[in-house]
Amino acid sequence: MRKNIILSGLILVVIAGCSPTNKQSQDESDIQKIIGQMTLDEKIEMIGGVNDFFIKGNKRLGLPEVKMSDATVGVRDGNPAIAYPATIAYAASWDTALINKVGEAIASEAKSKKISIMLGPGMNIHRAPMCGRNFEYLGEDPFLAGKMATAFIKGMQNKGVVATAKHYAANNQDFSRHLVSSDMDERTLHEIYLPAFKASVQEGNVGAVMSAYNPVNGVYSSQNEYLLTEVLKKEWGFDGFVMSDWVSTYDGVGCAKAGLDIEMPSGAHMNKDSLLPALNDGRLTEEMIDDKIRRILRIYKRFGMFDQTAYFAGNNFDTASARKIALDVARGATTLLRNQDNFLPLKKETIKTIAVIGPNGHPAVTGGGGSSFVTAYQQTSFYEAIKKLAGDQVAVNYERGTKLPRFIEPALYKNSSFYYFQGNEKIVGLKGEYFKNKDLEGAPFTTRTDVMVNFDKPGDVPPGLGIENISARWTGLMKVEKTGTYDFTISGDDGFRLWVNKKQVIDQWYDQPEMFKTVAVDLQKGQDNEIVLEYYQGGGGAAIRLGYELSNTNKNDAIERAVALAAKSDLVVLCVGFDYKTESEGFDRPFNLPEEQELLINLILKANKNVSVLLSSGGNVEMQGWLTQTKALLHTWYPGQEGAVAVAEILFGDVNPSGKLPVSFEKRWEDNATYSSYFDDDKDKRVNYSEGIFVGYRHFDKNNTEPQFPFGFGLSYTTFSYENLKLSNEQINAEDGLTVTFTVKNDGTRDGAEISQLYVSDRESSVPRPVKELKSFNKTFLKAGETKEITMKINKDAFSFYDVATKKWIVEPGDFEILIGSSSRDIRLKAQVKVIE
């Protein structure tokens, strides 16, 4: 518990029972002196005058310009960097020591690029598999997410780089993320959606927190006083600063009053025009503004940023070491979900031919899309890694099996069919009207003729328009030379929609990274067909392209070649899933794999019975139609630049898989706890989390529903047994906590790592509680035949729940059960403990 102690007008944050050190007192005095020298304009400029990824400096006051960057899987500053596996893979590793090293390595590379603040880790809870940013988060369990986030934060901040806990709070879907409110009761909020952030603050001592796009219970996160001030700053004692997510503020005065300290990427709302009137009429006070400055400067002091030369000196980024860490994460996170008759590991001496098939087989798919995507220094595809490790005695061949993505090329316009009339004059191209707002409102800023709608850089748009908060409408006619079905393809970032002959055929009118949408339209030869294309860009960079072609003209025999290769090969490694274009922030992906991949899987399984599937995604997919026909299934998540090497090592047995699921995998979407509470079906811009605290494995346990694969599940090439469970006491006071010991033995002939999991079950409670909840875990490496004793310590938090009446965490005396398992559904050992007053 932290207390705010006011001394001579300064707010000092200290640990309860301790006094501020001389350095802390001096730092606060120095900060107060700077604040006293700042003009009000300078203060407002600092909290709202940032420049995208920079917090502006001030030479007069000796304040440095501070640079920040995305994200949690590497340094994303527009240049190549080490690309680590996706954050969900960190959770799948269950290895806090390793993820601590990841934080250190990313911090070291950040410092080598003069970056002081990293915008991660993300720790929003996985509610449903479709969320576009699940791969950026740490799974469904708040305890696991908190421990992994804390490990990463400590590693990063131990190297002197500020970590940012995001997205606070309840950003659990990416469809309409600016609009849809996450509505839930107070207990659900505190037990499921806040604990990882609380751990980041109280255990990780994180320097910055980023608010989410979405409202929570009807109030935008960036201006939610309950979340930002009452809980984060007062209850948890957070002494760092809160920044908004990019373009996620809506009311400057509301944000300032609620506790937002910095508006990103610029002061669109927290600026002089909005804040000065509020200061003059008393809605805001200068002390509120001072607190924001104090929080920013406190972090500068804590991390030594005032002296930029000294701050960046002595940092030696070791590329080889960082690559090894990225490789180790992929080795430890890749999760073996199916291995029929011990099909894996593969035996090179019995194999002559391997077919690597699928769109994710080559080139490499390293990460999901959006602001976390890192362009790797170098990368290896599954095909390349398998071919290299298989050696010269095994023939490894590759077929994509699906068509290449239909990129919209200027060649499609070589003989443009678009035209419009200006008076009696026929003009080739489309009439483009451009607006300096996102809503196509008012008179156009400018109008021009566009022979091609194909731009993605500032020079493509009309001069003076800009590339943010703009919109455009293109209108015209077109004729085709042949009657038939035509594929219209649009690629856009953000929203776009298309009408053909007054019928709307594409509607993607929401914020999203650049994505493709294709629709088939029947057209008649010689007919004048009306075309209307509308587009808007919110934040980021503008991109919009339009193309069309006669259906089937781009088809090839990709599937036929893949099936033929599979039929003549000893075995198939089938690489499917999503990638940075199809799973990304800004939109939600489908539960099903792309239709073309589903067809490919079924045809390959008919052609060859020895198929191992490599699945790349941020979570589960529909697999009922093909799972039982496969010999093996490896979930690779998004494995980063070194991940294909790790997967190849696992396939051939050089590495024993040890990853376990940080999320429950449902058999059907209908089995998910949020099936009736995920989408905004009634379009009222509110989603009620009606499942309450029963999300993920809590839901499957409560309803006795069998998952496809349970939380905490993952296979190994060896087996482990558990014995000798002992409790430090059979009766405890919750304040004293409990020590649990047991032994784990590697019963097989291969070395391997086991993730043992401790769950606590409340046998009787005054409120509905989960059947069990994860409260500790341990990843242990054991040689073949080796036995180790595992010790886990749990405190009163393991027995408590959030009491809405008192607004506190409480423990009810009574009987609890300690459950030790290899997964949430594979409990090996049990013991009872009585908690007394």
Side-chain angles (χ1 to χ4, degrees), residues 661-680:
L661 292 180
V663 294
S664 305
F665 276 17
E666 53 279 277
K667 289 183 178 179
R668 307 173 307 151
W669 163 226
E670 292 90 333
D671 295 337
N672 187 283
T674 69
Y675 176 69
S676 299
S677 59
Y678 184 73
F679 294 107
D680 179 23

Side-chain angles (χ1 to χ4, degrees), residues 1 80 101 121 132-133 186 267-268 270 297 314 409 412 417 423 433 499 557 593 661 691 743 785 790 795 799:
M1 171 97 44
K101 291 181 180 178
R133 301 188 85 167
E186 192 175 359
M270 277 175 42
L297 299 186
E409 300 291 347
L412 293 175
S417 300
E433 299 172 294
W499 288 261
D557 58 352
L593 288 170
L661 292 180
E691 74 281 0
T743 59
I790 310 298
N795 58 27
F799 305 99

Side-chain angles (χ1 to χ4, degrees), residues 447-506:
T447 300
R448 73 179 188 186
T449 298
D450 289 309
V451 177
M452 296 188 299
V453 180
N454 186 0
F455 62 79
D456 66 351
K457 55 185 182 295
D460 294 333
V461 301
L465 180 68
I467 57 172
E468 292 187 339
N469 298 310
I470 62 172
S471 55
R473 179 187 294 116
W474 290 272
T475 56
L477 303 168
M478 65 172 289
K479 285 183 179 178
V480 295
E481 298 177 352
K482 183 177 181 181
T483 296
T485 301
Y486 286 78
D487 289 335
F488 283 82
T489 300
I490 300 176
S491 175
D493 172 359
D494 288 301
F496 52 85
R497 51 197 180 195
L498 176 68
W499 288 261
V500 178
N501 293 327
K502 295 184 170 59
K503 179 181 179 181
Q504 187 170 10
V505 294
I506 292 178

Side-chain angles (χ1 to χ4, degrees), residues 57-327:
N58 187 309
K59 290 183 178 179
R60 181 180 74 82
L61 298 167
L63 301 181
E65 182 178 70
V66 174
K67 184 179 180 183
M68 57 183 69
S69 171
D70 286 314
T72 322
V73 298
V75 181
R76 188 175 185 267
D77 68 339
N79 299 298
I82 299 294
Y84 296 83
T87 319
I88 189 68
Y90 299 174
S93 79
W94 298 64
D95 191 335
T96 54
L98 179 58
I99 303 312
N100 182 270
K101 291 181 180 178
V102 174
E104 289 183 341
I106 293 177
S108 182
E109 184 167 7
K111 273 196 165 182
S112 74
K113 297 181 175 184
K114 307 302 182 187
I115 294 167
S116 308
I117 301 172
M118 291 296 288
L119 304 175
M123 58 196 72
N124 295 106
I125 294 298
H126 177 121
R127 287 183 73 226
M130 295 85 71
C131 175
R133 301 188 85 167
N134 275 338
F135 67 89
E136 290 189 54
Y137 300 146
L138 292 162
E140 73 183 32
D141 184 76
F143 180 84
L144 175 63
K147 289 300 180 185
M148 302 310 296
T150 297
F152 180 90
I153 289 164
K154 285 182 175 180
M156 177 164 283
Q157 295 192 161
N158 284 344
K159 285 289 186 179
V161 172
V162 179
T164 305
K166 68 180 187 183
H167 307 91
Y168 185 70
N171 185 180
N172 308 112
Q173 83 282 333
D174 251 47
F175 72 85
S176 299
R177 61 185 181 180
H178 284 271
L179 302 174
V180 174
S181 176
S182 300
D183 293 353
M184 69 195 75
D185 63 81
E186 192 175 359
R187 184 179 169 211
T188 298
L189 179 65
H190 281 270
E191 289 197 17
I192 303 297
Y193 298 99
L194 294 188
F197 292 98
K198 182 179 180 181
S200 297
V201 170
Q202 295 189 335
E203 297 176 36
N205 200 16
V206 72
V209 170
M210 180 186 289
S211 64
Y213 283 104
N214 55 283
V216 176
N217 291 328
V219 182
Y220 276 109
S221 298
S222 58
Q223 59 196 65
N224 194 310
E225 186 173 1
Y226 176 72
L227 288 174
L228 300 186
T229 296
E230 296 303 318
V231 174
L232 178 63
K233 294 181 177 180
K234 291 182 178 179
E235 182 181 331
W236 297 347
F238 176 63
D239 66 340
F241 61 86
V242 182
M243 72 177 79
S244 71
D245 204 340
W246 267 234
V247 199
S248 70
T249 55
Y250 312 90
D251 178 338
V253 176
C255 289
K257 288 180 66 177
L260 188 72
D261 299 315
I262 299 180
E263 180 181 8
M264 300 300 293
S266 61
H269 297 281
M270 277 175 42
N271 53 42
K272 289 190 292 184
D273 290 342
S274 66
L275 300 191
L276 285 178
L279 286 162
N280 291 332
D281 64 24
R283 284 176 292 157
L284 294 175
T285 66
E286 192 164 351
E287 286 75 14
M288 292 178 179
I289 307 300
D290 287 354
D291 181 64
K292 303 177 190 305
I293 304 299
R294 183 179 294 110
R295 288 174 173 278
I296 299 167
L297 299 186
R298 185 181 288 142
I299 294 302
Y300 287 9
K301 278 284 188 180
R302 176 179 153 194
F303 286 85
M305 295 182 196
F306 277 95
D307 185 344
Q308 293 280 283
T309 300
Y311 175 77
F312 289 114
N315 177 69
N316 296 307
F317 174 57
D318 186 339
T319 304
S321 174
R323 288 186 60 192
K324 174 62 163 54
I325 291 169
L327 177 61

Side-chain angles (χ1 to χ4, degrees), residues 675-706:
Y675 176 69
S676 299
S677 59
Y678 184 73
F679 294 107
D680 179 23
D681 293 326
D682 58 6
K683 306 298 181 186
D684 68 348
K685 298 181 175 60
R686 303 185 80 107
V687 170
N688 179 30
Y689 286 34
S690 57
E691 74 281 0
I693 64 171
F694 296 100
V695 67
Y697 68 88
R698 292 164 171 80
H699 158 77
F700 287 100
D701 286 350
K702 175 177 179 285
N703 294 282
N704 199 26
T705 302
E706 188 69 26

Side-chain angles (χ1 to χ4, degrees), residues 208 210 312 366 374 392 458 542 544 736:
M210 180 186 289
F312 289 114
T366 61
V374 172
D392 296 337
I544 182 71
D736 297 332

